């Protein structure tokens, strides 16, 4: 931070409110880096304060005392942080706790004693006698735990990142806070005083304690303290695995946060969401996302525009604020404010060039680095001079986007993303993927460059659109298509009745009711496998497609995971069955010239009195066959991708979701028509695929060419008569 | 008379058992909500007694006062106090050599 411990403990830089107003003392506020107490060591050796020893330089520990850990900051709800800051500004370090806890009042100021040479200003305590028993012992309402208010005194204002200030906040509510939960309920600590913490994507802070806090799962899987146990029946399990709870359950934030900062002028210039003058002001905004620890988490993207020096070892070191301020002094007057926000930003190539040169001039004055090579990091580019002294800006690992993870302000479940179905995220208006983040706050013209958040998790425009399109175009119509097919087939049946060619009997023959083989056992078994798996796949698939389908699945399977697992495995059985069908029937399904006539007559389905030419399969069946084959293979391939979705790129998965739904829609409608045609529409057909045999009469009627092929007799015409006459005679 | 005696013995027995039970299982040992009164000590470790005026113009010292009964040294190992100071080292991070600790101390 470029400040001494003394500055840290007393005024802080530029006389701003002291850091120690929140830092609770103890540790480095008490002992120097050699483990000695500052006050004792400086009293022994006063010359240290004139030395360059950073722990003592310019300090007055001998008079101020040190900051011992102030237990009351947390354990006393009446603690006054203002009084503490007041005391610290007066350098009354060892008096701070006595005054701020309200045990006594403190008059005097070490600052006056030292700086104004006024010995009479030596601080004096007047204790609040009402707090003491007759025996001189103090009675205090010391809390075993910590009040939220005590936590928030520090984690509220200073913390633009974790935003504890929005805990117990009406503008930015959280269901847990509304239920009366407290900070320490999720962030408990034992006697070791190491509070359980979450993780941060930006900083390193006791990473060994990461995720030690009580997680959503800890309470919501066991119902701890009455936590609801969500079933997520309508959420695909893959989502629960890949997406953090917070991502869906914190759909929106309502207080402005920082989005980027710029150190160019030698101080921290913050840019706040909604162009607010300070973070914490009411402002609605949507979190962005990033992949962290294998899960998609919601973040407040925060990135820095900063200057560094590329050392010999290739590492880019950030620079001190004072170095940047010095450099700005050299070139700042030549930098213009292009976007008119009152902050002159370095964005044009010429400005970057000036800046890099100025920074190098400043760095050359110190021997801090072995090699002086300035780098300017802005957005997704690092700018520096190459070997030929030409300015180049390109992506570098130091540009890695940063975001602060979001975990407070959990919304009621009904407001979570996905509560209104998949389109909440995947549809055309799905905000999840539509949200944007700032790639570069100011390009060469001073304009903000933004990109959709989905880019950060590798989802391209085309796959996003494919996935989005299937919500308005396919899913809503699945049910409707099914209903239409039912309606049309029923209508057809009512209008034309069973497909018996106008009811005109063929000339009967004596062997008409003899049976002939139509499908062998293997063919029938293949069909049966495909039939059964299809019914399962279609029903469960439909349930996956519809919001509320989860309830249907629960009804049959008790949960929503089992049917998904089975859908995957049975999908392979179905796919293999389809491949077998291809092998056994492809020859019979090749189109032949006479199929034209069948088509011309609409297969006789719209009336007509004579059997239309048809081989083993008629033209309609052939078209249906190839539809099933193509659709089945499409389902098999896309399904295989979905089966292994965890290991495959999201773009491919999204594309396959689209293909799977299209193929399923065609498949289901095709099969429904197929069922009608093989039952009601054509009496006598249905047993063929199960028993394997049909009557000769049926064969003559429906597949005359096939009949002729296997019996060697004509299906109609003279031989009919001969046979008929013959049988008449024999009567 | 005899009945009265029996009743008395029975009641006394129950009372005795109850008392015994209290001895065996003392009332809950957890924090009862009231912190016991204690003396404040100054930085020299001397008692501050505002009622007698003894050291009554001096600030109390958390270290001396609370350490009488709680382990101050253990408590200040918590990261809110140390801020990473314990782990400060020039070699803490290879990729980011300017980061010197696992806390905010020694970081910029």
């Amino acid at each position: 931070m470029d400040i001494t411990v003394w500055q840290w403990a007393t005024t802080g830089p530029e006389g701003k409110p002291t850091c120690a107003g929140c830092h609770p003392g103890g540790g480095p506020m008490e002992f120097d880096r050699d483990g000695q107490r500052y006050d004792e060591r400086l009293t022994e050796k006063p010359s240290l304060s004139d030395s360059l020893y950073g722990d003592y330089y310019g300090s007055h520990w001998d008079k101020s005392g040190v900051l011992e850990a102030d237990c009351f900051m947390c354990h006393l709800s009446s603690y006054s942080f203002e009084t503490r800051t007041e005391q610290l500004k007066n350098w009354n370090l060892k008096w701070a706790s006595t005054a701020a806890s309200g045990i006594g009042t403190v008059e005097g100021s070490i600052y006056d004693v030292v700086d104004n040479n006024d010995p009479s200003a030596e601080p004096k305590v007047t204790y609040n006698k009402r707090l003491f028993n007759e025996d001189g012992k103090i009675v205090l309402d010391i809390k075993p735990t910590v009040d939220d208010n005590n936590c928030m005194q520090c984690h509220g204002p200073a913390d633009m990142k974790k935003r504890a200030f929005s805990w117990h906040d009406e503008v930015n509510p959280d269901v847990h806070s509304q239920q009366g939960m407290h900070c320490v309920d999720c962030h408990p600590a034992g006697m070791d005083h190491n509070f359980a913490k979450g993780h941060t994507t930006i900083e390193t802070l006791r990473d060994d304690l990461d995720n030690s806090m009580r997680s959503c799962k800890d309470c919501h899987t066991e119902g701890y303290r009455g936590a609801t146990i969500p079933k997520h029946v309508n959420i695909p399990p893959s989502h629960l695995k890949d997406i953090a709870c917070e991502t869906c359950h914190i759909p929106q934030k309502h207080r402005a946060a920082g989005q980027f900062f710029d150190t160019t002028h030698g101080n921290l210039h913050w840019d706040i969401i909604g162009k607010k003058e300070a973070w914490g002001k009411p402002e609605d905004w949507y979190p962005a996302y990033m992949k962290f620890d294998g899960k998609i988490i919601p973040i407040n993207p925060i990135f820095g525009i900063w200057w560094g020096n590329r050392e010999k070892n290739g590492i880019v070191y950030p620079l001190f604020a004072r170095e940047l301020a010095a450099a700005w002094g050299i070139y700042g007057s030549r930098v213009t404010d292009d976007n008119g926000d009152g902050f002159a930003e370095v964005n044009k190539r010429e400005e970057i060039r000036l800046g890099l040169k100025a920074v190098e001039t400043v760095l050359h004055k110190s021997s801090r680095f072995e090699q002086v090579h300035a780098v300017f990091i802005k957005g997704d580019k690092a700018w520096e001079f190459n070997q030929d002294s030409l300015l180049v800006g390109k992506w570098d690992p130091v540009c890695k986007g940063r975001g602060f993870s979001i975990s407070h302000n959990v919304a009621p479940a009904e407001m979570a993303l996905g509560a209104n179905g998949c389109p909440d995220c995947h549809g055309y208006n799905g905000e999840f993927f539509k949200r944007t983040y700032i790639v570069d706050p100011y390009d060469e013209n001073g304009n903000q460059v933004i990109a959709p958040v989905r880019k950060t998790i590798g989802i391209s425009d085309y796959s996003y659109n494919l996935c989005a399109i299937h919500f308005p175009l396919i899913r809503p119509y699945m049910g409707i298509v099914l209903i239409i097919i039912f309606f049309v087939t029923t209508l057809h049946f009512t209008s034309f009745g069973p497909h018996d060619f106008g009811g005109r009997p063929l000339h009967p023959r004596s062997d008409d009711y003899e049976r002939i083989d139509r499908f062998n056992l293997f063919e029938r078994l293949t069909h049966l496998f495909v039939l059964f798996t299809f019914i399962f796949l279609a029903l469960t698939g439909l349930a996956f497609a519809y919001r509320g389908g989860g309830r249907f699945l629960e009804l049959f399977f008790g949960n929503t995971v089992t049917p998904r697992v089975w859908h995957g495995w049975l999908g392979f059985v179905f796919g293999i069955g389809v491949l077998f069908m291809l092998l056994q029937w492809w020859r019979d399904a090749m189109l032949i010239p006479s199929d034209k006539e069948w088509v011309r007559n609409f297969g006789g389905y719209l009336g007509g009195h004579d059997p239309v030419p048809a081989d083993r399969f008629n033209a309609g069946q052939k078209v249906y066959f190839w539809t099933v084959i193509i659709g089945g293979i499409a389902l098999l391939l896309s399904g295989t991708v979905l089966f292994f979705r965890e290991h495959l790129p999201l773009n491919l998965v999204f594309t396959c979701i689209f293909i799977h739904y299209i193929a399923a829609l065609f498949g289901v409608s095709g099969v429904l028509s197929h069922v009608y045609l093989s039952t009601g529409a054509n009496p006598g057909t249905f047993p063929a695929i199960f028993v394997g045999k049909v009557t000769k009469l049926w064969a003559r009627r429906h597949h005359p060419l096939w009949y002729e092929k296997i019996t060697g007799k004509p299906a109609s015409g003279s031989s009919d008569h001969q046979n008929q006459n013959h049988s008449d005679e024999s009567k | 008379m005899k009945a009265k005696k029996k009743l008395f013995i029975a009641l006394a027995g129950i009372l005795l058992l109850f008392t015994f039970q209290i001895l065996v299982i003392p009332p809950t040992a957890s924090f009862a909500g009231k912190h016991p009164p204690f003396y404040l000590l100054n930085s020299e470790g001397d008692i501050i007694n505002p009622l007698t005026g003894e050291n009554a113009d001096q600030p109390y010292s958390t270290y001396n006062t609370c350490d009488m009964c709680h382990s101050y040294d253990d408590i200040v190992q918590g990261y809110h106090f140390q801020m990473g100071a314990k782990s400060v080292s020039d070699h803490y991070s290879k990729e980011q050599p300017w980061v010197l600790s696992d806390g905010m101390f020694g970081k910029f």
Side-chain angles (χ1 to χ4, degrees):
Chain A
M1 256 291 192
D2 205 9
I3 57 170
T4 64
V5 186
W6 172 252
Q7 286 171 320
W8 183 44
T10 54
T11 47
E14 299 162 25
K16 286 201 176 134
T18 87
C19 311
C22 279
H23 287 269
M29 289 205 156
E30 202 176 349
F31 298 100
D32 67 16
R33 62 188 76 182
D34 302 318
Q36 297 193 41
R37 255 178 87 118
Y38 298 111
D39 51 353
E40 289 167 5
R41 190 159 173 195
L42 192 60
T43 310
E44 256 170 47
K45 206 171 168 204
S47 61
L48 277 175
S49 75
D50 298 324
S51 74
L52 283 178
Y53 188 3
D55 286 356
Y56 290 91
Y57 173 77
S59 71
H60 303 280
W61 300 110
D62 49 345
K63 309 212 170 49
S64 66
V66 297
L67 280 167
E68 292 174 356
D70 190 346
C71 313
F72 294 137
M73 261 173 124
C74 302
H75 288 288
L76 213 56
S77 37
S78 56
Y79 192 87
S80 163
F81 285 78
E82 290 76 24
T83 310
R84 179 177 173 88
T85 302
E86 207 49 51
Q87 291 297 316
L88 299 176
K89 277 186 182 163
N90 281 315
W91 298 359
N92 296 345
L93 304 192
K94 71 175 171 185
W95 288 268
S97 178
T98 306
S101 60
I103 297 175
T105 49
V106 174
E107 291 292 330
S109 154
I110 291 294
Y111 181 86
D112 286 343
V113 173
V114 175
D115 245 42
N116 302 337
N117 238 325
D118 177 7
S120 68
E122 178 75 21
K124 281 202 178 54
V125 181
T126 312
Y127 280 97
N128 183 350
K129 288 187 190 152
R130 269 181 300 177
L131 295 173
F132 292 82
N133 279 344
E134 284 165 31
D135 58 1
K137 285 186 178 173
I138 191 164
V139 182
L140 287 171
D141 185 15
I142 295 178
K143 293 260 166 29
T145 61
V146 184
D147 273 2
D148 291 358
N149 206 26
N150 290 61
C151 303
M152 245 116 73
Q153 291 289 338
C154 294
H155 290 279
D159 202 349
M160 78 290 180
K161 296 164 185 161
K162 272 303 187 196
R163 299 186 197 88
F165 60 59
S166 59
W167 191 247
H168 296 319
D169 173 15
E170 279 174 16
V171 176
N172 218 2
D174 183 298
V175 286
H176 303 97
S177 122
Q178 287 171 337
Q179 294 293 324
M181 281 176 61
H182 304 292
C183 306
V184 287
D185 287 333
C186 298
H187 298 277
M191 274 312 285
D192 61 358
H193 285 67
N194 273 330
F195 286 82
K197 63 190 279 282
H199 56 220
T200 108
T201 53
I202 296 191
E203 272 143 358
T204 48
L205 199 143
R206 281 308 292 270
D207 293 346
D208 54 317
L209 298 175
D210 273 0
N211 293 323
S212 51
M213 63 176 290
R214 216 162 255 149
S215 69
C216 314
K217 272 192 176 161
D218 287 345
C219 298
H220 286 284
T221 49
E222 286 161 20
Y224 177 70
R225 285 178 63 173
T228 48
I229 301 180
K231 284 192 171 165
H232 289 117
V233 285
N234 293 318
I235 308 290
S238 61
H239 288 50
L240 301 177
K241 218 167 143 201
D242 297 341
I243 304 174
C245 311
E246 295 91 335
T247 308
C248 302
H249 288 278
I250 309 177
Q252 206 182 19
K253 302 281 284 184
H254 306 279
R255 283 200 185 268
Q259 49 187 354
F260 67 87
F261 60 84
D262 192 334
T263 61
T264 301
H265 296 194
N267 52 21
L268 267 189
H269 167 78
W270 271 100
D271 186 272
I272 304 208
I273 293 176
K275 297 283 164 215
K276 294 279 152 111
E277 67 280 11
W279 41 68
K281 293 272 179 297
E283 171 75 21
D284 296 340
W285 57 278
Y286 298 101
Y289 303 99
M290 73 184 273
K291 203 130 192 196
F292 186 74
D293 267 357
K295 284 203 171 195
I296 295 171
I297 60 164
I299 53 163
N300 165 201
I302 297 178
F303 67 88
I305 295 171
W306 54 283
W307 301 74
N309 184 59
R310 196 180 285 282
E311 251 300 19
K312 265 203 172 132
N313 55 15
I315 295 176
V316 179
Y317 285 67
L319 302 180
F320 287 130
R322 62 178 139 83
E323 290 165 334
L324 294 177
W328 183 250
I330 298 173
Y331 75 106
S333 58
R334 293 158 71 186
V335 175
T336 51
D337 174 11
D338 293 309
N339 59 10
D341 65 352
F343 177 83
E345 71 284 329
V346 170
N347 58 326
K348 294 201 260 309
R349 293 180 77 90
E350 187 46 33
E351 291 172 342
I352 297 174
R353 212 171 275 134
L354 286 171
L356 288 173
K357 282 190 183 143
V359 167
E360 291 188 353
T361 308
V362 170
L363 291 183
H364 272 304
K365 286 184 195 150
S366 80
S367 53
R368 212 151 84 76
F369 298 109
E370 279 182 61
Q371 162 187 302
V372 169
H373 181 84
V375 186
F376 175 49
I377 293 95
K378 177 168 75 79
D380 57 354
K381 284 199 181 80
W383 297 85
E384 55 197 305
F385 295 117
N386 67 8
Q387 286 119 320
D388 307 325
S389 301
L390 292 173
L391 180 68
V392 278
K394 56 177 194 303
W395 194 86
D396 185 279
V398 291
C399 309
K400 221 161 57 187
R402 299 289 175 90
F404 211 88
S405 52
I406 290 171
S407 38
H408 290 150
N409 310 120
V410 174
E414 306 81 63
M415 286 165 73
L417 291 178
N420 296 312
C422 314
D424 270 5
C425 298
H426 294 280
Y428 262 123
N429 297 316
E431 53 170 54
F432 180 95
F433 289 116
K434 274 200 155 174
R435 296 178 187 178
T436 56
Y437 69 103
I438 300 178
V439 180
D440 186 348
Y442 11 79
D443 65 5
E444 292 206 21
N445 304 318
N447 298 325
Q448 220 174 51
V449 183
I450 56 170
V453 155
R454 59 173 183 266
K455 292 249 157 79
T456 61
I457 43 176
I459 295 173
S460 69
D461 287 348
Y462 104 86
S463 77
Y464 168 69
N465 284 325
L466 269 190
C467 200
I469 210 170
H470 98 272
F471 283 99
L473 286 189
I474 308 178
R475 287 207 190 186
Y477 299 107
M478 308 241 340
I480 295 172
V481 165
L482 299 189
I483 291 167
I484 288 176
I485 291 172
F486 269 119
F487 181 69
V488 169
T489 51
T490 317
L491 189 69
H492 178 266
F493 191 71
T494 317
S495 317
F496 298 98
H499 188 38
D500 57 0
F501 307 99
R504 212 173 67 170
L506 291 179
H507 300 290
R509 295 180 188 170
S510 58
D511 62 351
D512 262 353
Y513 293 96
E514 265 175 35
R515 288 167 175 258
I516 47 174
D517 284 332
R518 179 151 168 82
F519 294 113
N520 67 31
L521 181 66
F522 192 76
E523 287 173 319
R524 273 142 50 205
L525 283 179
T526 308
H527 183 270
L528 203 65
F529 267 103
V530 172
L531 168 75
F532 281 150
T533 48
F534 183 85
I535 291 175
F536 178 89
L537 294 168
L539 287 180
T540 51
L542 268 176
F544 301 153
Y546 281 102
R547 193 171 158 247
R551 300 255 169 252
F552 167 81
L553 296 172
E554 269 202 317
L555 185 68
F556 284 94
F557 301 94
N559 63 62
T560 56
V561 179
T562 313
R564 279 181 193 273
V565 175
W566 285 21
H567 190 94
W569 287 104
L570 288 181
F572 286 117
V573 178
F574 168 80
I576 292 167
V578 167
L579 293 182
F580 271 106
M581 281 182 164
L582 175 66
L583 287 180
Q584 68 199 23
W585 286 330
W586 70 272
R587 254 175 243 281
D588 297 318
M590 298 310 268
L591 291 169
I592 53 173
S594 63
D595 286 331
K596 274 190 199 151
E597 201 188 329
W598 190 95
V599 175
R600 222 177 290 128
N601 288 309
F602 297 107
Y605 284 111
L606 300 182
H609 300 292
D610 298 310
V612 275
D615 200 349
R616 188 172 185 209
F617 296 135
N618 64 40
Q621 286 173 310
K622 288 177 185 177
V623 171
Y624 171 70
F625 174 80
W626 290 112
T627 313
V628 167
I629 294 297
I630 294 170
I633 290 177
L635 284 167
L636 176 66
L637 293 182
S638 56
T640 307
V641 167
L642 297 180
F643 191 83
F644 295 107
R645 66 203 305 165
E646 280 166 39
H647 313 284
L648 296 168
L650 277 176
N651 283 329
L652 180 65
V653 172
F654 276 34
T655 311
C656 286
I657 289 176
F658 177 76
I659 295 175
H660 210 71
Y661 270 94
I662 289 254
L665 182 63
F666 279 97
V668 173
S669 11
V671 166
L672 279 184
S673 329
H674 174 63
V675 169
Y676 166 65
L677 293 173
S678 54
T679 55
N682 295 296
T685 306
F686 162 74
I689 199 65
F690 297 102
V691 186
K693 292 184 192 305
V694 288
T695 61
K696 285 188 176 166
L697 178 64
W698 182 92
R700 283 168 61 212
R701 256 194 188 146
H702 296 280
H703 297 275
L705 297 179
W706 175 67
Y707 172 83
E708 286 167 10
K709 229 186 255 170
I710 58 164
T711 59
K713 295 179 194 164
S716 58
S718 55
S719 65
D720 278 18
H721 292 283
Q722 280 167 17
N723 276 339
Q724 197 188 353
N725 292 342
H726 174 73
S727 54
D728 282 351
E729 278 163 19
S730 65
K731 257 185 191 171
Chain B
M1 200 59 207
K2 249 195 170 171
K4 258 190 184 170
K5 202 173 170 185
K6 269 188 187 160
L7 187 67
F8 172 77
I9 291 172
L11 285 178
I14 290 170
L15 202 70
L16 211 72
L17 274 175
F18 188 64
T19 325
F20 185 66
Q21 181 273 133
I22 289 180
L23 289 178
V24 177
I25 312 165
T28 161
S30 71
F31 190 65
K34 280 264 177 283
H35 193 279
F38 53 93
Y39 282 117
L40 294 180
L41 304 185
N42 68 9
S43 52
E44 307 301 317
D46 299 328
I47 288 177
I48 295 170
N49 188 340
L51 299 182
T52 60
E54 191 184 354
N55 298 319
D57 59 347
Q58 294 173 20
Y60 88 98
S61 151
T62 6
Y63 171 59
N64 286 330
T65 305
C66 310
D67 196 53
M68 277 194 290
C69 307
H70 305 286
S71 171
Y72 179 91
D73 287 334
D74 287 348
I75 288 169
V76 294
Q77 299 308 313
Y79 67 83
H80 272 81
F81 307 102
Q82 293 295 335
M83 301 280 149
K86 268 190 298 181
S87 62
V88 169
S89 146
D90 283 344
H91 311 290
Y92 179 76
S93 167
K94 263 218 170 81
E95 297 87 50
Q96 297 177 305
W98 59 91
V99 173
L100 306 184
S101 83
D102 64 358
M104 299 312 278
F105 203 79
K107 203 180 273 173
F108 94 108

